Amino acid sequence: CTGASGGGLNTLYVAAIDERIRVAIPVVYATSFREFLGTRHNHCPCNHLPGLAGYADMGDIAALIAPRPLLLLTAKQDSSFTVRGAQEASAEALPAYRAYGREETLQLREFDCGHDYNQPMREALYGFVQEHLNGEGDGSPTAEPALALEPPDSPALRCFESGHVPPTAATVRSLARQDAAALRDRLPPVGGADRAALREVLGWPAGALPAATPEPVSGDSRPGDPEKLLLRTADGVALPGLLLRAGAEA
């Protein structure tokens, strides 16, 4: 099973829960949440599992794949899913592979490119699959034969006949808005905000809320837009946030 970016997400999580997947190669996706948040990049909700960071990191998910072969492909010029994040995820999964005595089946390979699934990356995939599925070779890259690729606008590549998502279809964005609205409706009245009720809505564990120092994030904005902030806790966790001042129109 393999895929890049959002396809890497599918590869990682499906392989973790379905042992029928014998080999997994997530590409330009595996990272640590701490490293990803530190990039300060806005991101689409489709690439993350809501609530997961309260229980586990991506390296923990990768550890669930052990002892099956897992190859992480990462790109040195990828500013969202960084090499360092992939290294941290790999290091977190490594003890599980060691416990099985299969340390050699967890591999990380770095490529000098951006967010991509280019030919050298695919050739690394071919060699890894040949070794671990066919029992052939030593896992070294295998040359890719000449391919006749579909043009980007080919109807064969469309998920929907029209090439567009039907207006009546639920999307990741609409589902995220639906969940956000449900959480908003559970908030206590502004005049009598209660910390316990707020913790319940946020899913925060019992105990004092950690103090965080807000840092403004530079970027273009228009009057009335929410201000981008980075909330940094004492132990170094960086959380992105939006500040919408009273009276501003959302």
Side-chain angles (χ1 to χ4, degrees), residues 31-51:
T31 186
S32 67
F33 292 129
R34 183 187 296 267
E35 174 67 11
F36 179 77
L37 291 171
T39 65
R40 306 189 183 190
H41 287 188
N42 291 329
H43 216 253
C44 56
C46 64
N47 255 333
H48 301 283
L49 185 63

Side-chain angles (χ1 to χ4, degrees), residues 63-77:
L64 295 175
I65 301 173
R68 289 167 288 151
L70 173 63
L71 173 63
L72 306 179
L73 302 184
T74 183
K76 296 179 181 178
Q77 299 173 36

